[in-house]
């Protein structure tokens, strides 16, 4: 997985380049609070958030809560490691996107 920094500035660039591709990201929460994980771009994505310290315990899943066809998850998180999984909505599409985590 690609590690994400919790920031309010520049997002991390990503791209679904082939059918069925799943992109994985990781970030660490040091202080409990409300965090936002969101993508931007023209690619229709689905995003799942897992944790803390678990790749299988689902915290939230989203399709289109962000701008246009982008997922956005806003959740109260406790300290720990979190995992984000991003994939194309229909599992056959492709395209570029940006992702960021903010507090």
């Amino acid at each position: 997985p690609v590690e994400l920094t919790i920031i309010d500035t520049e997002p991390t660039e990503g791209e679904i380049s082939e059918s069925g591709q799943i992109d994985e990201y990781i970030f660490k929460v040091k202080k409990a609070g409300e965090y936002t994980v969101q993508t931007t771009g023209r690619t229709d994505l689905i995003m799942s958030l897992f944790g803390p310290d678990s790749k299988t315990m689902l915290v939230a899943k989203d399709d289109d809560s962000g701008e246009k066809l982008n997922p956005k998850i806003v959740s109260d998180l406790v300290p720990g490691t979190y995992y984000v999984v991003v994939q194309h909505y229909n599992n056959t599409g492709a395209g570029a996107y940006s992702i960021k985590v903010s507090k």
Side-chain angles (χ1 to χ4, degrees):
V2 175
E3 186 161 0
L4 298 173
T5 305
I6 299 170
I7 54 171
D8 288 320
T9 55
E10 294 301 313
T12 299
E13 300 300 317
E15 182 174 3
I16 302 293
S17 56
E18 58 187 48
S19 294
Q21 178 178 326
I22 296 173
D23 289 352
E24 296 181 1
Y25 298 91
I26 184 173
F27 67 95
K28 292 180 170 73
V29 169
K30 294 181 180 166
K31 198 174 200 181
E34 184 178 88
Y35 290 81
T36 301
V37 185
Q38 62 187 335
T39 66
T40 55
R42 296 177 9 186
T43 305
D44 191 1
L45 301 169
I46 296 176
M47 180 170 57
S48 301
L49 175 64
F50 299 91
D53 304 318
S54 170
K55 290 183 176 183
T56 59
M57 188 163 55
L58 183 65
V59 173
K61 186 172 187 171
D62 189 68
D63 182 6
D64 294 334
S65 292
E67 289 181 21
K68 300 181 182 175
L69 301 174
N70 286 280
K72 177 180 180 181
I73 294 173
V74 179
S75 190
D76 287 324
L77 303 179
V78 299
T81 301
Y82 290 83
Y83 303 88
V84 181
V85 174
V86 177
Q87 62 193 87
H88 196 275
Y89 170 75
N90 65 15
N91 217 17
T92 58
Y97 65 92
S98 298
I99 183 170
K100 78 175 186 175
V101 180
S102 56
K103 184 175 187 318

